[in-house]
Structure formats: structure tokens, C-alpha cells
Amino acid sequence: MISVLINNYNYAGYLEQAVESVIHQTYEDWELIIVDDGSKDCSAEIIKRYVEKYPKKIRGVFKENGGQASAVNAGFALAGGSIIAFLDSDDYWFPEKLEEIAKAHREHDYVVNNFRSNGPEVSRCNKRYIDQSSYLLKKYGYQVLVSTPTSSISIKKNILDNFFPIPEEEYKISADAYIDFFSLYFSNYYYIDQALTFYRYHDSNGYYGKESAFDPGRFTGGIIKNVNTVLAQKGLEQVPYRSIDSQRAMYREIEQFEIKEHERYVIYGAGDIGRHVMKLVHRCGGSIVCFCDGNPSKKDTFFFQYKVILAEDLWDMRGQFDKIIIASTFYAGEIEKRLISMGFVKEQDYISTSLFCDYTFDADSEA
């Protein structure tokens, strides 16, 4: 059986669609636990109506407001299924969602699926390292990029039993990040590249649109600290805090990617990943000639103390650098195609790794 957990706070306008999407699943062996976290709208009335209509399938929990972690904890405490699937009350599932994840969970503990939305972003998944994702976290503190909403994850209950309940005061929001780190410790991701979830962007999203209020390095370091406290109590190997040095070792092992001492580099990408790569080059004893970027408005500007050039300028200055480092996640493929079209050869003239991603912007995550 799959236990579906919905936590809700003042989302009466969306809640019915979320619940109906569970009721109309093609897979029938499910239970639904809806936790209302002290809503002030008519959410409680909606939940009670569904509980009365489907008493053998749906349960309601009504509690004082305590935040996301407390709501998830309350639902988890009642879950009787061997698989836990999370659904935010402002999202909904497509009818085959539970059927597809049930198939995947026959062999996998941690499943994430693609999604559609009404917003500008698309799901991102670094498929290249999925099978190594748990290893990379435990050895290097690196989280393989699988950017999906809470409503797209499902995990076997015996995995979650290792670390529930979630600390409630620290995770009033973003409890899914804590779940993600811990689950990844015990299991690799398995990714279903099929849109089974609809993630709704709106002005009242609990997290979306508020990312700027977070310090990613500090937040990630805090999660690792909390995770390691529990791991230490269980006598398990702890997750290392990320550092430039650990990432350098990771690139060397996984990609045979090496930034060498005294070599000269052009960093293609004058953004957050480029900043991370700049720190990596400095730490490894290399030197930076300049940055390169595809945005014409950045030409002849400076990124930190380095001049920014455009791609068409690279060939003329080929003798001034040893290699180009592609510092991009979304546009890495396009950049590589452009460099090849200009006559540059991979490894000889440029290097690239999809291990560069937004989880490594601020590499030093020591708490």
C-alpha cells in the first residue's frame, strides 16, 4: 500500500483538486492522510467532507499551526503503507502517478518523477550521476542535481523510519530538503522522466519566490549538521561538509577532471557557477586569464577583477590560455557545440563537467 501525505495550510482554493487527483488514480491500493496545519480558511470543512465520503481511504488530522515539518510528522505517524508519497495541497497528480511509482519501487527505495507546471521553470535532473548519487553524498557531501518539488518524491517507509520525526522548529519550511538529504544517504535516486505531477506556481507558494531570503551555503551546512547528529547517534558514517578541496578530489575521481597548478584558464560563464569555478582554480594554483559569456551586454565588463569577453574573441587569444572551463549547467551543451564549431577540441582546449551545478555555488559548507 502507498500512504499519500498531504499537508495543508490555508490552501482551500487548491485542496480539492489535490485530493481529487489522488481519488482518481489508476492504482487503487492507497490511503490518504490529510494534515491541516491550523488553517484559517475553510480547509477543515473540505477535509471533513472527504473523510465522511471516503472513510476507509481518507483520514484527516487537524492541529495547531506548527509548520511543514510538524505537519509531515503528524501524517507520517499514522501512515500504514510501505511507500510514502508526498503531495502538497496546492499541487496535483496525473492519474497514472501512483501506478508508475509503484512499479519503480519494486526495485528502488527513493523515486522522483518529472513534472509540469504553470510557471517558467522546468524540471532539472543530472541523469549522468543518478546511480552514484548516494555514494557522492556520503564521500564528498555532494548532492546530485535532481530538482523536483515535494509532490514528485516518494520513499519507502523503512528508509524514512531511520530519521523521522523531522526537527520541527528548524524546518517550518523546506522540510523536504531534510528528507532529501537523509533519504539520499540510504539510497540512490531513481528518476522517472515522465511528468506525473503538476507543480503550481502562485503568489502564496511557501518557498517559491522566496529563495533570495536563504543563504544556500548556510542552509545546506545546517542540514548536514542535523543529519550528522542523527548519524552519529546511530553509529553511522557521517556526511562530509563540502569544501573546495573535497570537490577537487571528486572531480578527479568521477570525471578525471583536473585543474592544474600554473595552468591558465578562461572560464566560460560569468555567473554563480563561474564564481565557484574561479575559487576552485585559485585553490588549485591555476590562474584566470578572463571570463567569457554568451550575453553581449557583458562584453568588456568585469566579473570580480576579470574582464569578460565574448565567444568570438576566444580563437584570436588562443595562445594566452591553456584551457577553457565551461562553467554552466543549463547551457553547457550549447556552449560545447559552439566551441567545437570554432575548432576547439575537448580536453585539449576545453574541459567540462556536469558536476558543476547550483548545489556547489558556495563550496565551503562547514557549519
Side-chain angles (χ1 to χ4, degrees):
M1 182 172 69
I2 300 177
S3 294
V4 179
L5 305 187
I6 292 180
N7 66 83
N8 174 76
Y9 178 66
N10 287 342
Y11 278 166
Y14 308 117
L15 181 58
E16 291 187 58
Q17 189 172 19
V19 175
E20 290 288 337
S21 77
V22 178
I23 293 170
H24 292 98
Q25 289 293 303
T26 57
Y27 184 87
E28 297 181 352
D29 190 13
W30 55 263
E31 66 171 357
L32 172 58
I33 301 168
I34 311 171
V35 181
D36 186 72
D37 193 34
S39 293
K40 298 177 182 178
D41 59 11
C42 63
S43 293
E45 287 74 15
I46 294 171
I47 296 168
K48 289 174 183 177
R49 187 170 71 245
Y50 278 108
V51 171
E52 290 175 2
K53 187 174 181 180
Y54 301 96
K56 294 182 179 180
K57 299 289 281 184
I58 300 177
R59 282 184 283 179
V61 179
F62 305 94
K63 57 183 289 297
E64 294 183 359
N65 181 257
Q68 187 182 27
S70 69
V72 173
N73 286 340
F76 182 79
L78 298 176
S82 61
I83 298 166
I84 307 296
F86 300 92
L87 175 59
D88 286 339
S89 57
D90 53 341
D91 300 333
Y92 62 87
W93 289 338
F94 299 116
E96 65 276 18
K97 156 81 175 188
L98 292 183
E99 183 175 355
E100 293 301 320
I101 69 168
K103 293 176 186 176
H105 276 294
R106 291 171 188 166
E107 297 183 4
H108 304 282
D109 295 324
Y110 189 8
V111 175
V112 295
N113 62 260
N114 205 336
F115 66 97
R116 293 212 311 259
S117 77
N118 60 320
E121 296 185 9
V122 295
S123 131
R124 295 165 286 166
C125 176
N126 192 337
K127 300 180 184 67
R128 185 172 178 178
Y129 306 104
I130 287 290
D131 292 339
Q132 298 171 284
S133 50
S134 183
Y135 170 78
L136 290 171
L137 179 72
K138 287 193 284 190
K139 184 166 184 180
Y140 297 110
Y142 175 85
Q143 192 178 20
V144 169
L145 179 61
V146 181
S147 180
T148 54
T150 309
S151 301
S152 285
I153 68 174
S154 57
I155 305 160
K156 284 189 176 177
K157 188 174 185 293
N158 64 340
I159 296 294
L160 299 175
D161 282 334
N162 287 296
F163 58 89
F164 264 69
I166 305 168
E168 296 184 358
E169 286 302 315
E170 294 180 71
Y171 296 99
K172 290 182 180 296
I173 63 171
S174 297
D176 54 315
Y178 182 82
I179 294 172
D180 186 40
F181 264 74
F182 244 122
S183 299
L184 186 56
Y185 179 91
F186 292 101
S187 171
N188 287 323
Y189 288 117
Y190 179 77
Y191 184 69
I192 300 175
D193 196 8
Q194 177 182 353
L196 302 173
T197 300
F198 189 91
Y199 176 71
R200 195 191 310 271
Y201 293 101
H202 56 87
D203 292 340
S204 300
N205 278 114
Y207 177 77
Y208 178 72
K210 302 176 178 64
E211 295 92 331
S212 60
F214 294 88
D215 179 331
R218 180 175 296 179
F219 182 68
T220 300
I223 293 176
I224 294 176
K225 183 177 180 180
N226 290 335
V227 167
N228 281 340
T229 298
V230 176
L231 293 175
Q233 292 170 352
K234 293 178 175 290
L236 297 173
E237 176 188 0
Q238 296 186 33
V239 175
Y241 293 103
R242 291 200 304 262
S243 69
I244 295 271
D245 290 335
S246 69
Q247 288 182 54
R248 183 184 184 188
M250 177 180 64
Y251 299 140
R252 189 186 304 119
E253 176 188 353
I254 304 301
E255 289 268 43
Q256 291 74 55
F257 172 102
E258 181 74 33
I259 295 175
K260 297 181 180 179
E261 189 175 2
H262 305 309
E263 282 201 345
R264 304 163 299 168
Y265 296 95
V266 171
I267 300 175
Y268 199 132
D272 282 326
I273 297 177
R275 174 170 59 87
H276 161 71
V277 174
M278 176 185 71
K279 292 168 64 178
L280 185 63
V281 170
H282 288 160
R283 184 73 65 88
C284 295
S287 62
I288 298 169
V289 175
C290 62
F291 278 84
C292 178
D293 200 272
N295 185 347
S297 68
K298 293 185 179 182
K299 179 177 173 62
D300 295 329
T301 62
F302 285 82
F303 190 65
F304 293 88
Q305 71 266 38
Y306 299 103
K307 187 175 182 179
V308 179
I309 65 169
L310 299 183
E312 51 263 35
D313 301 322
L314 284 170
W315 192 260
D316 291 337
M317 58 180 296
R318 179 63 188 89
Q320 300 177 39
F321 61 87
D322 296 296
K323 283 187 175 67
I324 301 164
I325 303 176
I326 298 176
S328 176
T329 297
F330 302 124
Y331 304 109
E334 294 177 25
I335 293 171
E336 187 164 5
K337 288 179 182 178
R338 183 163 193 181
L339 292 177
I340 291 172
S341 71
M342 295 171 64
F344 291 109
V345 178
K346 188 171 185 177
E347 295 184 2
Q348 174 183 305
D349 298 310
Y350 71 89
I351 51 182
S352 177
T353 171
S354 50
L355 284 166
F356 290 151
C357 74
D358 52 3
Y359 285 112
T360 58
F361 283 174
D362 291 306
D364 294 317
S365 67
E366 286 88 344

